[in-house]
Amino acid sequence: MDKDDRLLETEEPSEQNENIQEELPKDGENSSPGEKETPKKKGKFRAWWQAHKPTRRRIVQVYVALLTNANIKGFFSGKIYKGATKYVCTPGLNCYSCPGAVGACPLGSLQNAFASSNIKTPLFMLGIILLYGLLFARTVCGWLCPVGLGQELLYKIPTPKVKKSRFTRVLSYLKYVILIVFVVAIPLLLAGTPTPAFCKFICPAGTIGGAIPLLLNPTNANMLDGLGGLFTWKFIVLVVLAVGSIFIFRFFCRFFCPLGALYGFFNKIALLGVKLDETKCTDCGLCVSHCKMDIRKVGDHECINCGECIDVCPAKAISWKGSKLFLHKNAVEVSAPVTEQAIDLKEGVVLAAAATANAEAKNSDPIPAISVQNPETGTKKKGKGKAFWIRLAAWCTAGAVLVGALVYYNFIHKESKPALPPLQVGDVCYDFTLEGYNGESFTLSQHRGKIVVINFWGTWCGPCVAELPAFEEIRSEFSDKVELVAVHSFNLAETAVPFLEKNGWTAWGAIFLQDTSDTSNNDVNVLLGGGGEAYPYTVIVDEEGVVAFTRLNELGGEILRAEIEKLLK
Amino acid sequence: MKIGKDKVRFYYGIFLTVFTIAVGVLLVAETASVYYGADVSPYLSPSLHTKSTVVLVVFLVWLAAVIGGFVLTFFFPESGKGKPYVDHTYTLRRLKARTPDCGEEDFLAAEARANKWDKTRLYLAIVAGAILLLCAAMCVVRLAVGIDRSGKAVQEVLVLLKGMLPWLACALVSALVLTAVDCFALSAALRSRKELLVLGRGFPVRERKKGWYENEKVRFWTVTGARIAVAVLAVSFIVFGIVNGETPGVLAKAINVCLECIGIG
Ligand code: SF4
Ligand code: SF4
Ligand code: SF4
């Protein structure tokens, strides 16, 4: 046996060598290991199930996507969930404007925190990101993010695929540029006018999860007014990313996602994820070849900790972090030759040979035959040991949590609903009284004879903050005939008052009020036809107290002036 | 049966590719019409524009370079469903580095072929890079000379974009053409590379020098120290944030929809 033969030695050396001779010329012809080794003919269904059953990772992905979007009724009502769990950020990219979402999006919240950093420090959100980074890092991407799941499903469509290369590797740094420019720089630079630039210009999760479900619901027909250049752009971005994901594995994650970029910084120190035992690693590169992400090394900033390379490593050098505690350690067993796992026999043999050579040369104790467990042919002991019961308990608990969440959000949690039907143009406006920021109150009926412009706004809302100064200018121009009432959505004292003081808006003639309720619907907003959640919303009430004009979306000074002039004529 | 399925996959793949290209062309046309149509929302304030223009331009130049790099990728058909995804180029490159010189003629010939194709690919990459740089430079020139300073800020941005679009399109087309050629060169290079590996005899391991940072103890304490530091930072940031009243801001944003943020208006 010369050296070459020894290198190629596997469990069945002679047969293997024969195979090499026969199969070398036929490039690309593959025989699946499953087909080769079917000692017993299983039932058709069983075979189908074996070939198609979801992996544990896929189950976790679907589970988390359902759990973080448990407010299914929102998709039918066209309203987002407004309960207290929205204080908590989900780990993955999950738009908080999605009707199903029951938590806040970490990236949106971070941009919002930067955008309001001239009023409040953004430390809370930075702390949350650090915490998720420390616990999970990019395990979030591989296991917990709905956007990652969506892209993996799209990639399953059978087409030619664009594979990774040194160019995609270079391209993967684009997400850091997006992180710096769109998530950090623009919101910080433009802190006066809240501009979450990533949400606004790029985020496909906002378009597919937020904008489209809201727009499709007939209750939100007034949102259609606002469609224009921005929506066209975002829709194009969404389509490009979705189509790209069919051809390129995790197109958005690898090149564009700033959240993945952020979590990447923590991959080395995270408590969960894969780890590489470098004393065992023979540097054969099989793991890097197998991985679809642009990694240089297992566990680096591009690794999403999917764990798919664990079974590929012939030296058993890759395992889960903390595997002794709660996950299985590298479970590679000697069962099927590595060549069967390789996509192309010729390459497979060469690679296996190389791996053996390197492993033997590097480790003093010889490695057993280089082989990995074949998921289809590998023999697993079946028994109801301790692990079985732990697993069963885990699955049951997880199931109970999901069912509990679905029942709670869809049947138990109720948004408060106003008793009166919402107003439309031409109706006499309901009278209301609201508290102002400095204790004074405002009653609509006391301002009959004047045009009252009621603007619903929020300090976190870019267009709201941008258009209010123009409104105030118009108000002061027509001060004897027009009253401007700016109704803040939520928590006037804590969020809006520091903003008003900082920007000198307290000197304005406009009256700043807070809507009646906090976490449930903003009642006056709902009564006046605003739907209670979308901002900005402007209502013009004429001298007689009749609703003369409404607009959901930014209005701008020019239109307001025109409307007021029309009414004054 | 099996062939039938493969055929379906094959034609479906072709259909989808053609469809995607058609959709891409439509989208580019649409984007161009948005830019050229000057249909920009009046909300965009001048200050926002002057500030973001600089950022936008840098980003566009990046994007041009990036699109070029991206299309210059290896393009191989997937060999079949259920097969693991394997791109051996990385491994092959590493193995090649370890393959000792050997006197066999075939081996040398294969190596020469592989090197030739590698060189071709390198030249292609240089040409692509040069074209992209030229396009980027033209974008910058356009930016420097082409701004109509009398107009409104919104108009300035539109003028800029109009000036850049042809150059971006040029970059895209040239990168596409180069990619097609590169794909051919790559498959030729890979074929030779595989041949080389099969012909090679043995793969001796190169001893690697270990850096100080690879010392087990140093590593352990670095990671543990980093973990403790991050944990302390995270907890103190969160506690400070809660005390400082930052949480209502998170909730306020999460329970209200800013129409602009989700891209509606
Ligand atoms: S990279 Fe972003 S979108 Fe992709 S899985 Fe990670 S967090 Fe989700
Ligand atoms: S497959 Fe295993 S032995 Fe080979 S480089 Fe990766 S970790 Fe190291
Ligand atoms: S290196 Fe392994 S765990 Fe990380 S992304 Fe690649 S296959 Fe998944």
Side-chain angles (χ1 to χ4, degrees):
Chain A
M1 193 189 286
D2 70 19
K3 198 183 173 197
D4 194 29
D5 283 339
R6 189 180 58 76
L7 292 177
L8 295 169
E9 188 181 352
T10 60
E11 281 175 309
E12 298 153 330
S14 54
E15 197 188 318
Q16 202 60 51
N17 278 339
E18 265 175 46
N19 278 349
I20 301 162
Q21 299 311 323
E22 280 169 19
E23 303 256 356
L24 277 179
K26 299 180 206 160
D27 230 6
E29 200 182 276
N30 301 291
S31 55
S32 102
E35 276 168 36
K36 255 188 184 176
E37 285 192 44
T38 35
K40 288 167 250 163
K41 278 223 161 175
K42 290 170 187 166
K44 249 191 181 173
F45 174 73
R46 184 114 187 251
W48 181 89
W49 175 244
Q50 284 300 328
H52 292 86
K53 71 177 175 198
T55 58
R56 199 183 309 170
R57 190 167 71 90
R58 186 75 73 236
I59 295 172
V60 173
Q61 284 176 310
V62 173
Y63 176 84
V64 175
L66 266 177
L67 191 65
T68 52
N69 293 287
N71 185 38
I72 312 277
K73 72 171 190 297
F75 289 105
F76 298 100
S77 65
K79 298 277 163 224
I80 63 168
Y81 168 71
K82 300 186 134 206
T85 51
K86 281 220 166 157
Y87 273 116
V88 183
C89 289
T90 56
L93 199 65
N94 197 131
C95 187
Y96 39 34
S97 301
C98 169
V102 299
C105 166
L107 201 59
S109 304
L110 186 68
Q111 289 170 84
N112 185 40
F114 283 142
S116 50
S117 59
N118 57 344
I119 310 291
K120 286 259 153 97
T121 49
L123 289 182
F124 178 73
M125 272 320 299
L126 287 175
I128 294 285
I129 297 285
L130 285 176
L131 187 69
Y132 283 153
L134 178 66
L135 292 176
F136 309 114
R138 292 204 78 180
T139 305
V140 170
C141 304
W143 295 74
L144 309 177
C145 178
V147 179
L149 168 69
Q151 291 170 87
E152 285 190 4
L153 295 180
L154 283 174
Y155 189 75
K156 280 180 155 280
I157 297 173
T159 59
K161 306 290 180 191
V162 178
K163 307 215 160 166
K164 70 175 179 184
S165 65
R166 77 187 83 159
F167 298 113
T168 60
R169 169 99 200 162
V170 171
L171 196 58
S172 72
Y173 288 99
L174 174 62
K175 57 180 175 288
Y176 295 95
V177 178
I178 293 181
L179 172 68
I180 292 165
V181 175
F182 286 82
V183 177
V184 183
I186 296 182
L188 273 180
L189 279 177
L190 303 179
T193 314
T195 314
F198 177 76
C199 294
K200 184 175 166 183
F201 296 113
I202 301 175
C203 184
T207 317
I208 188 85
I212 291 176
L214 289 177
L215 283 172
L216 287 181
N217 201 295
T219 35
N220 300 322
N222 49 2
M223 283 184 192
L224 295 171
D225 286 354
L227 297 186
L230 184 61
F231 183 73
T232 313
W233 164 254
K234 284 222 43 190
F235 190 71
I236 291 172
V237 170
L238 173 71
V239 174
V240 168
L241 290 174
V243 174
S245 304
I246 298 173
F247 300 100
I248 302 162
F249 182 73
R250 284 195 178 236
F251 184 45
F252 174 68
C253 298
R254 281 162 66 194
F255 312 131
F256 304 101
C257 180
L259 189 59
L262 257 180
Y263 285 145
F265 294 131
F266 299 94
N267 238 2
K268 283 262 156 55
I269 60 161
L271 299 175
L272 286 179
V274 295
K275 68 173 179 208
L276 177 65
D277 182 345
E278 301 208 358
T279 54
K280 284 189 190 165
C281 172
T282 61
D283 216 11
C284 70
L286 273 176
C287 50
V288 180
S289 290
H290 183 84
C291 177
K292 294 193 273 291
M293 300 297 286
D294 298 287
I295 59 160
R296 259 193 228 286
K297 222 170 138 189
V298 171
D300 72 5
H301 57 97
E302 292 298 326
C303 166
I304 55 168
N305 296 310
C306 66
E308 279 169 17
C309 55
I310 289 182
D311 288 347
V312 173
C313 174
K316 306 179 190 178
I318 310 169
S319 60
W320 292 107
K321 287 175 184 169
S323 46
K324 276 188 204 140
L325 286 177
F326 48 89
L327 287 163
H328 72 99
K329 214 165 161 59
N330 187 338
V332 179
E333 286 168 15
V334 179
S335 56
V338 73
T339 45
E340 287 192 0
Q341 287 240 320
I343 194 161
D344 172 325
L345 186 66
K346 187 156 85 179
E347 281 170 10
V349 172
V350 173
L351 296 173
T356 319
N358 293 337
E360 282 181 1
K362 182 155 184 175
N363 299 317
S364 44
D365 1 313
I367 295 220
I370 295 299
S371 57
V372 295
Q373 181 185 22
N374 183 323
E376 273 147 57
T377 58
T379 47
K380 269 189 195 163
K381 274 183 210 156
K382 277 187 186 163
K384 291 193 169 88
K386 202 167 136 198
F388 170 82
W389 293 110
I390 293 176
R391 207 173 301 155
L392 187 70
W395 282 116
C396 290
T397 317
V401 168
L402 182 60
V403 172
L406 287 172
V407 170
Y408 171 76
Y409 289 115
N410 294 294
F411 301 105
I412 298 175
H413 177 85
K414 291 259 177 334
E415 306 284 4
S416 64
K417 284 222 170 65
L420 303 164
L423 281 181
Q424 278 167 1
V425 174
D427 294 347
V428 175
C429 191
Y430 299 125
D431 195 18
F432 62 84
T433 303
L434 288 175
E435 288 287 310
Y437 80 96
N438 49 9
E440 96 244 41
S441 66
F442 172 92
T443 304
L444 181 66
S445 57
Q446 290 172 359
H447 296 263
R448 281 281 150 81
K450 270 187 162 185
I451 295 170
V452 182
V453 179
I454 308 167
N455 175 256
F456 294 89
W457 73 296
T459 48
W460 37 263
C461 164
C464 306
V465 172
E467 68 182 2
L468 261 172
F471 288 10
E472 167 63 11
E473 216 170 89
I474 294 167
R475 186 210 60 80
S476 61
E477 203 178 301
F478 300 95
S479 59
D480 49 336
K481 298 182 194 110
V482 174
E483 204 69 79
L484 173 61
V485 180
V487 184
H488 193 259
S489 70
F490 171 80
N491 218 324
L492 187 74
E494 275 186 65
T495 42
V497 172
F499 178 90
L500 297 178
E501 284 166 357
K502 169 106 188 165
N503 291 312
W505 289 15
T506 43
W508 286 8
I511 304 163
F512 287 97
L513 305 170
Q514 182 189 316
D515 213 337
T516 46
S517 65
D518 272 357
T519 54
S520 59
N521 283 326
N522 302 109
D523 293 352
V524 174
N525 184 321
V526 177
L527 276 180
L528 300 197
E533 56 191 24
Y535 289 79
Y537 178 54
T538 309
V539 179
I540 304 178
V541 180
D542 68 11
E543 290 107 321
E544 323 277 286
V546 174
V547 177
F549 177 86
T550 63
R551 180 162 167 101
L552 186 66
N553 223 307
E554 38 115 357
L555 177 64
E558 277 162 36
I559 303 177
L560 181 69
R561 184 189 298 275
E563 288 298 324
I564 287 176
E565 279 168 357
K566 210 160 75 187
L567 283 176
L568 287 174
K569 270 180 203 161
Chain B
M1 238 350 245
K2 216 180 160 195
I3 293 163
K5 255 190 203 168
D6 277 357
K7 263 196 181 158
V8 170
R9 288 169 59 82
F10 177 73
Y11 288 121
Y12 181 62
I14 295 204
F15 157 74
L16 209 60
T17 312
V18 172
F19 185 63
T20 307
I21 293 169
V23 170
V25 170
L26 268 178
L27 286 179
V28 170
E30 179 72 355
T31 318
S33 86
V34 170
Y35 289 151
Y36 284 93
D39 181 21
V40 172
S41 98
Y43 145 68
L44 295 168
S45 71
S47 82
L48 187 129
H49 260 271
T50 27
K51 279 183 183 172
S52 56
T53 304
V54 181
V55 174
L56 188 73
V57 168
V58 175
F59 178 70
L60 280 177
V61 174
W62 238 93
L63 205 63
V66 146
I67 291 170
F70 163 64
V71 284
L72 275 169
T73 47
F74 309 129
F75 198 80
F76 283 116
E78 187 92 324
S79 314
K81 191 170 179 290
K83 292 291 184 301
Y85 171 106
V86 179
D87 175 5
H88 285 311
T89 44
Y90 179 81
T91 305
L92 295 177
R93 231 180 22 243
R94 293 162 77 89
L95 293 182
K96 191 224 158 196
R98 290 181 197 149
T99 312
D101 285 335
C102 99
E104 284 163 305
E105 260 171 42
D106 285 351
F107 185 86
L108 288 175
E111 191 170 38
R113 269 199 302 281
N115 287 342
K116 186 188 101 191
W117 284 115
D118 275 355
K119 247 189 212 160
T120 310
R121 299 192 61 232
L122 180 70
Y123 294 150
L124 278 171
I126 293 172
V127 172
I131 293 179
L132 288 173
L133 273 178
L134 177 71
C135 293
M138 288 314 293
C139 285
V140 174
V141 170
R142 198 72 198 84
L143 167 70
V145 297
I147 303 176
D148 171 15
R149 288 186 194 280
S150 58
K152 280 162 65 185
V154 172
Q155 292 306 317
E156 279 184 26
V157 175
L158 285 170
V159 169
L160 269 178
L161 289 170
K162 279 180 199 171
M164 286 176 182
L165 265 181
W167 287 104
L168 291 177
C170 168
L172 192 72
V173 169
S174 55
L176 273 172
V177 173
L178 286 165
T179 305
V181 185
D182 184 63
C183 279
F184 171 74
L186 173 74
S187 55
L190 262 186
R191 223 176 299 126
S192 304
R193 197 59 80 222
K194 285 181 200 166
E195 224 175 288
L196 194 65
L197 282 159
V198 175
L199 291 170
R201 291 282 182 269
F203 302 91
V205 180
R206 275 209 191 136
E207 267 310 316
R208 209 160 48 95
K209 259 195 202 160
K210 274 199 172 183
W212 60 269
Y213 49 86
E214 282 176 273
N215 177 300
E216 271 307 304
K217 263 191 190 159
V218 173
R219 290 194 145 204
F220 175 80
W221 285 111
T222 321
V223 170
T224 313
R227 280 179 179 167
I228 294 170
V230 171
V232 169
L233 264 186
V235 172
S236 45
F237 277 13
I238 291 173
V239 171
F240 181 86
I242 293 171
V243 174
N244 192 28
E246 288 171 27
T247 45
V250 175
L251 184 64
K253 181 75 182 180
I255 62 168
N256 291 303
V257 180
C258 167
L259 290 172
E260 189 192 67
C261 296
I262 54 172
I264 289 185

